[in-house]
């Protein structure tokens, strides 16, 4: 359906050749991604109307086993979709006394793996790669947070008081269904507006890669034993939402880049951004931030090599 709409729009515009191909791809990808995004953010907003951040923190406080780590990972998957909204929730978990490994799991997962990205990847690259991305991201988060706990890095957290979530102690059970739909629509629209610029930018870059870069050219430049760490290094300075970088990743893969290298690039863009590290200074001493970045980078690199091996 989206492709047909893109073909019709392109056919009535005075463009031909490669320009027409780029424009058709751009229209198609934007229609597909923004439609999926709108549906997912509304759905997530509706689910979040049933559980306040306070309830989540109180529930996670008593969890010290792998169950707690897994629940934190699930929370990260369904949380808002960028580090700018992840950090306030993380700060609330810290101030509430949630176990260190559990809050680090949430911090690892939230910007790197989310439902919107899963839905968009499923429509773009198929279920096998989407499942590998989902399971791989969660595995990197849990194993990395377990390692940080074993290293005793909790002492480098900064004590502070946070008011995040206090306004959410309303009686969720008494909220009407109509009100929940309204809350989901308002939250979904707010998140949607934040993400749209990243999607448009990502699709634009991806369209030019798709239309102008010869197949195999990317592979010739980003191949070899150090391709995965190089992709992570390239991705760190780029600050965008993970949904916005998916079109670029898709174009890189279609241009010949190995799947593991492309996924490593995508994850590093979303989870290793400079703004996130700056925000983390509110709750972490520099030594903990360095360990956090190094362990997450190592996990993403190892996952990239593993995906290159199996795909």
């Amino acid at each position: 359906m989206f492709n047909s709409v893109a073909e019709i729009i392109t056919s009535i515009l005075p463009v031909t050749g490669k320009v027409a191909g780029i424009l058709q791809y751009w229209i198609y990808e934007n229609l597909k991604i923004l439609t999926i995004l709108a549906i997912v953010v509304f759905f997530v907003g509706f689910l979040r109307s049933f559980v306040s951040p306070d309830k989540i923190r109180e529930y996670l406080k008593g969890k010290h086993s792998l169950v707690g780590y897994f629940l934190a990972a699930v929370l990260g998957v369904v949380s808002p979709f960028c580090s700018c909204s992840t950090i306030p929730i993380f700060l609330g978990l810290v101030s509430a006394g949630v176990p260190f490994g559990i809050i680090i799991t949430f911090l690892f997962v939230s910007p790197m793996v989310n439902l919107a990205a899963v839905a968009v990847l499923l429509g773009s690259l198929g279920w096998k790669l989407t499942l590998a991305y989902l399971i791989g991201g969660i595995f990197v988060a849990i194993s990395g947070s377990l390692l940080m706990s074993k290293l005793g890095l909790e002492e480098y957290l900064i004590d502070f008081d946070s008011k995040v979530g206090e306004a959410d102690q309303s009686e969720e059970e008494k909220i009407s269904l109509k009100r929940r739909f309204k809350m989901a629509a308002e939250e979904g629209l707010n998140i949607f507006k934040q993400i749209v610029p990243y999607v448009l930018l990502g699709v634009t870059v991806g369209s030019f890669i798709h239309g102008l870069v010869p197949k195999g050219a990317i592979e010739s430049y980003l191949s070899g034993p150090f391709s995965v760490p190089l992709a992570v290094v390239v991705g760190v300075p780029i600050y965008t939402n993970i949904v916005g970088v998916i079109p670029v990743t898709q174009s890189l893969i279609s241009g010949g880049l190995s799947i593991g290298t492309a996924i490593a690039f995508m994850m590093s863009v979303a989870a290793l951004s400079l703004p996130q590290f700056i925000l983390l200074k509110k709750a972490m001493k520099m030594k903990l931030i360095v360990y956090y970045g190094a362990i997450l980078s190592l996990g993403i690199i190892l996952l990239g090599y593993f995906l290159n091996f199996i795909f």
Side-chain angles (χ1 to χ4, degrees):
M1 179 183 71
F2 297 131
N3 195 43
S4 298
V5 173
E7 288 178 353
I8 292 172
I9 294 174
T10 305
S11 67
I12 63 178
L13 294 174
V15 291
T16 57
K18 287 187 176 181
V19 175
I22 292 172
L23 182 60
Q24 181 177 328
Y25 184 86
W26 187 86
I27 295 170
Y28 166 72
E29 287 295 323
N30 275 310
L31 287 174
K32 178 184 68 177
I33 292 175
L34 293 177
T35 300
I36 294 172
L37 182 62
I39 294 170
V40 172
V41 295
F42 176 83
F43 174 71
V44 172
F46 182 72
L47 289 181
R48 280 161 51 82
S49 72
F50 288 90
V51 184
S52 70
D54 263 1
K55 277 191 172 182
I56 294 170
R57 290 196 295 271
E58 288 300 317
Y59 186 72
L60 289 177
K61 271 186 185 180
K63 300 294 183 295
H64 294 273
S65 65
L66 282 176
V67 173
Y69 284 80
F70 179 75
L71 290 175
V74 172
L75 171 61
V77 171
V78 300
S79 69
F81 306 111
C82 63
S83 57
C84 59
S85 49
T86 294
I87 300 300
I89 298 177
F90 165 76
L91 296 177
L93 295 175
V94 172
S95 65
V98 174
F100 175 72
I102 292 177
I103 61 175
I104 295 298
T105 299
F106 168 80
L107 185 62
F108 276 149
V109 171
S110 186
M112 186 170 60
V113 183
N114 63 58
L115 286 181
V118 168
V120 172
L121 273 177
L122 189 62
S124 302
L125 298 174
W127 69 269
K128 290 183 180 179
L129 182 54
T130 303
L131 188 62
Y133 154 75
L134 177 62
I135 295 176
I138 291 175
F139 178 79
V140 166
I142 293 178
S143 58
S145 58
L146 284 170
L147 175 59
M148 291 181 71
S149 294
K150 291 294 183 182
L151 291 173
L153 298 175
E154 184 175 1
E155 63 179 297
Y156 298 107
L157 279 175
I158 297 174
D159 294 328
F160 69 101
D161 293 324
S162 171
K163 303 300 182 183
V164 176
E166 284 189 1
D168 291 308
Q169 294 190 23
S170 57
E171 301 176 26
E172 297 101 344
E173 298 82 1
K174 296 182 179 179
I175 299 176
S176 67
L177 188 62
K178 181 179 179 180
R179 174 60 181 160
R180 293 187 193 280
F181 276 112
K182 185 178 179 181
M183 291 168 62
E186 291 173 351
E187 179 176 315
L189 180 61
N190 182 48
I191 294 174
F192 186 81
K193 289 190 295 185
Q194 293 179 40
I195 297 177
V196 164
Y198 297 118
V199 173
L200 294 177
L201 177 61
V203 172
T204 300
V205 173
S207 298
F208 280 104
I209 294 174
H210 178 82
L212 299 178
V213 179
K215 188 174 178 63
I218 295 172
E219 183 180 15
S220 66
Y221 285 103
L222 275 177
S223 59
F226 300 107
S227 63
V228 177
L230 178 60
V232 171
V233 170
V234 170
V236 170
I238 303 172
Y239 177 55
T240 184
N241 181 274
I242 193 164
V243 178
V245 80
I246 286 175
V248 180
T249 304
Q250 181 181 357
S251 296
L252 291 174
I253 291 174
S254 65
L257 188 63
S258 57
I259 287 175
T261 305
I263 293 297
F265 168 76
M266 181 180 77
M267 287 182 163
S268 67
V269 169
L272 294 169
S273 67
L274 181 59
Q276 174 164 327
F277 290 130
I278 293 173
L279 289 171
L280 284 175
K281 290 181 69 176
K282 293 182 179 180
M284 292 182 177
K285 296 178 181 178
M286 185 55 66
K287 186 171 183 177
L288 181 54
I289 293 176
V290 171
Y291 269 101
Y292 167 81
I295 290 174
L296 181 55
S297 298
L298 178 61
I300 291 174
I301 289 170
L302 293 176
L303 177 62
Y305 279 122
F306 178 73
L307 293 179
N308 279 343
F309 177 75
I310 65 173
F311 284 102

